[in-house]
Structure formats: C-alpha cells, structure tokens
Amino acid sequence: MASLGPGAVYGVLKELREAASHTGPVCVSGALAPQLAKELARGGSPGAVREGFVDHAAALVHVLAAPPAEEDEHLLKRVRRKRVPIVAVLAGPELDPRVPYVLATDVIRVPAGHGFPLEEIARALTRRLGEAETSVASRLPVLRAPACEHLIASFSRKNAVLAAAIFIPGADMPVLTLNQLRLVLRIASAHGVEVGQERLPEVLAVIGGGFAFRAAAHQALNLVPVAGWAIQAGVAYGATRAVGEAAVRYFAAMAERDTS
C-alpha cells in the first residue's frame, strides 16, 4: 500500500478543497421557489441554497406552474449560456414536458396531490453537477445519498474498464487503489467529514478491504486465463463498490457522532 502514502491522500484532499472553494450555491427560481428552496436547504449550510439566479451558481432548479413565459425562457437561455446545469420542475400536471433549454432527462414532474419529489430532484441534480457534486452534497444533506450512490457507480465502472484493459497481473493495483482512494475521500467530503492526519490510518483501512478482492481475482486468472479480462473487470467493479459502500456506512456514522 506504499502508493497510498500521505502524499497521495493530501493530493486528493487538495483537489477536493480547491473544488469546494469554487462551488457556488444551488439556485431556485420560478413559481413556488421559496417553498422548494426551503425544502432543499433543510439541515444544510447557510447560503448553500438561494432564491434567484447568480452567475457562479452550481446549478439552477427552475419551477414552472404554467407554460414557460417569456421571462422564463430568457432566464433559462441565460443560464444555459453560462453552462450552469438546469433542472426543471413542473408543478402543473398538464404542462408540456418539453422545456426550452432543458434536457428531457432533467425535467421532473410533481405528481398531482403530492409535494415536491425531493429525492428525484436530488438525483437529477447529482447527475448534472459533475465534479461539484461532492462539495454541494457536503453542504446539502438532501443530496448526500444520491451523490454517494452516483460516485460509487461511477468509480466502480471506471475501475472495471481499467482492470479489463490491463492484462499484466498486479499492474492494475496502483491505479485502481488510487481511484478507490479518490472515491473514499469524496464520500468523506460529501458527509462533511474532514480527513486529517489523525484519520489517515482509518481511511487507508477502509480502502485496504479492496485488496482481498483483487488477490482473489489474480488467483482466478491462473484457473481461467482465457476469460481473465472479464474476471479482472468483475472483481474490480465489485471491490470498488464494496469499498464505497463501506465508506458510506463508516462516514455516515462518523458524521452523526461529530454532530451529536
């Protein structure tokens, strides 16, 4: 595990801190914006959600209770030009799901007689936030679970592809482990847990569980050499997912202790 020394950990931590320092709020606009903003911000950091749009926003959630008016289209066009992700929420059951300047996958409909579907909105935001999802989730608990779920799926797929592409036994260890390090530290950050020198051994212990999976994969390569790439990919995927899920449980408990 020499490749996971303090230098590697602090390098990733530096990346996370820099990303967080440049991440703006989630903005909410349109009809019923105050109500949705309040629900999204529940339990979050001050300023993490704000009404109206600002140029440095991490994302915009725009609520429509009627067909888009000229001012709606003007705002959405401006936000699109700023390359800020947009999620549209349709609060009217008969509204056309085709919203100008918003991808069809980012349009959320409010079921008749129900409140805002916060989980669905959170998942849509997570998909669109990109690298900003970790720092936004650290300030907004409503995004924490979908952000961690998205991170685990993304890094597991990435490691599976890398493992399948590397045929030299053991050559995948450093790159896969570094990706697991990034995953674990991003999950920690999403839970608002600051990883310092005193917590470094704990972080490395969480990641260390993945080595048992990879050792099993390398043994299996000797038994089924023809399908070795498939075995490596499958084990890398499963190992990374297991590490991520363990990290979620670990840091969720730690965050709960820190706030109690």
Side-chain angles (χ1 to χ4, degrees):
M1 198 178 296
S3 60
L4 286 183
V9 176
Y10 294 138
V12 178
L13 287 174
K14 182 180 179 182
E15 292 176 12
L16 291 173
R17 292 189 183 111
E18 289 178 351
S21 66
H22 293 91
T23 301
V26 171
C27 293
V28 185
S29 59
L32 305 176
Q35 179 182 338
L36 179 55
K38 183 178 180 180
E39 293 186 34
L40 287 174
R42 187 171 291 119
S45 302
V49 176
R50 62 170 295 170
E51 295 177 38
F53 177 68
V54 293
D55 289 344
H56 64 285
L60 173 72
V61 181
H62 189 67
V63 187
L64 291 166
E70 184 177 347
E71 61 182 290
D72 295 305
E73 294 195 23
H74 178 75
L75 171 62
L76 295 174
K77 182 178 181 180
R78 175 190 166 199
V79 176
R80 182 69 175 271
R81 285 180 172 174
K82 295 285 185 182
R83 299 183 181 276
V84 172
I86 308 171
V87 172
V89 177
L90 307 183
E94 304 301 325
L95 292 179
D96 191 331
R98 294 171 295 183
V99 180
Y101 308 105
V102 182
L103 298 175
T105 53
D106 298 331
V107 177
I108 309 298
R109 189 180 293 279
V110 179
H114 292 74
F116 288 111
L118 290 182
E119 289 186 10
E120 193 174 355
I121 294 171
R123 285 195 297 270
L125 279 171
T126 298
R127 289 195 305 268
R128 299 289 286 120
L129 281 169
E131 291 297 315
E133 68 178 327
T134 303
S135 56
V136 174
S138 70
R139 294 179 290 156
L140 291 178
V142 70
L143 293 186
R144 196 159 293 158
C148 289
E149 179 183 330
H150 183 259
L151 286 168
I152 291 171
S154 176
F155 276 91
S156 296
R157 288 193 298 268
K158 187 181 301 183
N159 270 1
V161 171
L162 287 170
I166 300 173
F167 295 100
I168 302 173
D172 60 332
M173 290 290 240
V175 65
L176 297 189
T177 307
L178 183 59
N179 274 342
Q180 289 182 351
L181 169 66
R182 293 178 185 278
L183 172 61
V184 169
L185 291 180
R186 289 187 69 170
I187 289 173
S189 179
H191 283 85
V193 174
E194 181 71 23
V195 177
Q197 186 173 357
E198 70 285 354
R199 282 176 171 167
L200 176 57
E202 302 173 50
V203 171
L204 296 182
V206 172
I207 301 170
F211 282 94
F213 287 89
R214 290 198 292 278
H218 294 144
Q219 290 176 3
L221 286 176
N222 296 324
L223 300 176
V224 195
V226 176
W229 64 271
I231 293 174
Q232 286 196 154
V235 174
Y237 181 92
T240 304
R241 176 165 284 280
V243 167
E245 291 171 353
V248 168
R249 293 190 296 269
Y250 180 79
F251 290 114
M254 182 180 292
E256 186 174 346
R257 289 198 306 268
D258 289 348
T259 55
S260 62

